[in-house]
Amino acid sequence: MWCQPAEIQAISAFQKHFQAKDSDIVVASIPKSGTTWLKALTFAIVNRHRFNISSKNYNNPLLTSNPHDLVPFFEYKVYEKNQVPDLSKLPEPRLFGTHIPFPSLFNSIKESNCKIIYICRNPFDTFVSSWHFSNKIKQGSSPQLTLEEAFEMYCKGIVGFGPFWTHMLGYWKESLETPNKVQFLKYEDLKGDINSHLKSIAKFLDCPFTLEEERQGVIEDIINLCSFKNMKGLEVNKSGKSIKNFDNKNLFSKGEIGDWVNHFSPGMVEKLSIVLEEKLCGSGLWFRPS
Ligand code: A3P
């Protein structure tokens, strides 16, 4: 796994101290694949009764807090700087986020009945999203990689929590073997049909929407609250630094499928297609060409 030293420290604190509960929910992802969106959706689904999650309730946490505060990352927040917080008294279900690859989640999570929802995205778009992101957060005088240099590293697997194919395949295989424990989602599928995905996530988390809720428009309301336009526009998502030192607003760029066509040369398309072919071959995991 390719990680910064501070993240490695936090991951080892997590592996040493975290005690999973059967009711825990972990939102997992490879960076830049829709984590913020999935965190908001998961929080809304799970807490819709407890916090009266509705666009009419201006005090609901989705309008007043950043999704990364509502669903904190183990490696950036919970165990940041090697701290070991007492998590036992958090209200259940506890919601956490992580970019840690499945094999490194450690036994406590694997052996409990907690649920993991994983999101990934077409690597062409994930690369472009990461590229925009790293340009925005560029700090100090460290030299910025060119698009071509960053792309070469991406294709070699040198990317946060990568290689990206190992990351995706770890959760993919687990979702095939234990579908009640790991739900595997693709960003493109959520964009294509968010309504049925919201229902399937709720069912997976054992809190399905009732017919009455469907009639009342609860699903549409959550979709709107968590829409790209709404989330990007929220003040809590513009200001503040919920993850590391990154300004939240940098987490949102265009939120589109297929932006890679504006950045890839024919040679890059060929190279990444070959990497995907080689690495995902025979796994059953594939991405629709966009
Ligand atoms: P772009 O960089 O293509 O805009 P992550 O949350 O894992 O860092 O992923 C960031 C990507 O998810 C960004 O893609 C961002 O715009 C997109 N995103 C965030 N919230 C979204 C939402 N509510 N709907 C759709 N896409 C969203």
Side-chain angles (χ1 to χ4, degrees):
M1 171 177 35
W2 196 87
C3 266
Q4 302 288 343
E7 288 150 15
I8 289 173
Q9 258 195 351
I11 292 169
S12 76
F14 154 74
Q15 290 177 329
K16 212 155 132 199
H17 300 286
F18 183 68
Q19 288 300 319
K21 293 186 179 184
D22 288 343
S23 59
D24 286 345
I25 296 169
V26 180
V27 174
S29 64
I30 185 97
K32 312 319 297 169
S33 53
T35 324
T36 318
W37 188 18
L38 186 59
K39 282 185 175 186
L41 292 169
T42 305
F43 184 88
I45 292 169
V46 171
N47 289 300
R48 63 189 189 271
H49 304 302
R50 182 164 164 235
F51 290 114
N52 182 19
I53 301 283
S54 145
S55 51
K56 295 189 193 94
N57 173 11
Y58 296 115
N59 290 323
N60 99 61
L62 276 185
L63 294 176
T64 57
S65 305
N66 186 283
H68 295 290
D69 291 328
L70 299 173
V71 185
F73 279 113
F74 288 126
E75 61 274 17
Y76 296 135
K77 194 91 170 231
V78 182
Y79 292 99
E80 184 192 20
K81 299 191 181 126
N82 235 345
Q83 63 185 352
V84 184
D86 178 11
L87 306 172
S88 62
K89 295 191 181 68
L90 287 180
E92 294 181 28
R94 304 181 303 177
L95 296 178
F96 299 104
T98 193
H99 289 320
I100 301 172
F102 187 80
S104 305
L105 280 183
F106 225 59
N107 293 343
S108 174
I109 287 198
K110 292 185 205 160
E111 286 165 6
S112 79
N113 286 324
C114 75
K115 303 253 185 190
I116 299 173
I117 326 178
Y118 182 78
I119 189 162
C120 65
R121 185 180 188 182
N122 185 327
F124 284 69
D125 277 331
T126 311
F127 169 72
V128 171
S129 182
S130 314
W131 165 250
H132 287 317
F133 181 67
S134 58
N135 279 324
K136 286 181 198 160
I137 61 164
K138 183 179 176 307
Q139 286 165 346
S141 55
S142 57
Q144 180 66 37
L145 295 179
T146 63
L147 180 82
E148 289 71 22
E149 286 166 338
F151 181 74
E152 287 304 313
M153 289 176 73
Y154 189 70
C155 290
K156 285 184 191 146
I158 306 170
V159 54
F161 302 90
F164 66 85
W165 54 85
T166 316
H167 202 284
M168 296 192 295
L169 287 174
Y171 285 94
W172 171 248
K173 285 182 185 145
E174 205 54 36
S175 75
L176 298 179
E177 280 165 27
T178 54
N180 291 334
K181 183 169 186 72
V182 180
Q183 185 177 34
F184 192 96
L185 301 166
K186 293 181 196 158
Y187 180 87
E188 295 73 23
D189 293 343
L190 259 66
K191 290 278 272 188
D193 184 357
I194 183 67
N195 193 301
S196 69
H197 280 88
L198 205 66
K199 287 190 207 165
S200 106
I201 296 170
K203 207 165 157 208
F204 172 74
L205 296 177
D206 297 326
C207 48
F209 293 99
T210 61
L211 282 176
E212 186 53 24
E213 284 182 299
E214 290 199 30
R215 267 197 292 273
Q216 288 169 349
V218 172
I219 295 179
E220 284 72 21
D221 201 37
I222 292 178
I223 291 171
N224 287 334
L225 271 171
C226 301
S227 68
F228 177 78
K229 190 164 165 249
N230 192 48
M231 285 180 55
K232 187 174 182 181
L234 281 180
E235 221 35 62
V236 283
N237 288 337
K238 282 186 188 160
S239 53
K241 294 176 191 283
S242 286
I243 317 176
K244 290 174 105 182
N245 276 331
F246 307 151
D247 271 337
N248 298 323
K249 66 174 189 297
N250 294 333
L251 296 169
F252 303 87
S253 189
K254 290 187 188 167
E256 286 173 0
I257 297 174
D259 187 36
W260 63 267
V261 295
N262 299 314
H263 301 273
F264 273 57
S265 65
M268 288 165 75
V269 176
E270 192 185 347
K271 179 155 187 170
L272 187 53
S273 302
I274 292 172
V275 171
L276 289 181
E277 180 71 34
E278 275 176 14
K279 302 296 181 186
L280 303 185
C281 176
S283 67
L285 176 60
W286 60 282
F287 292 90
R288 211 174 287 132
S290 44

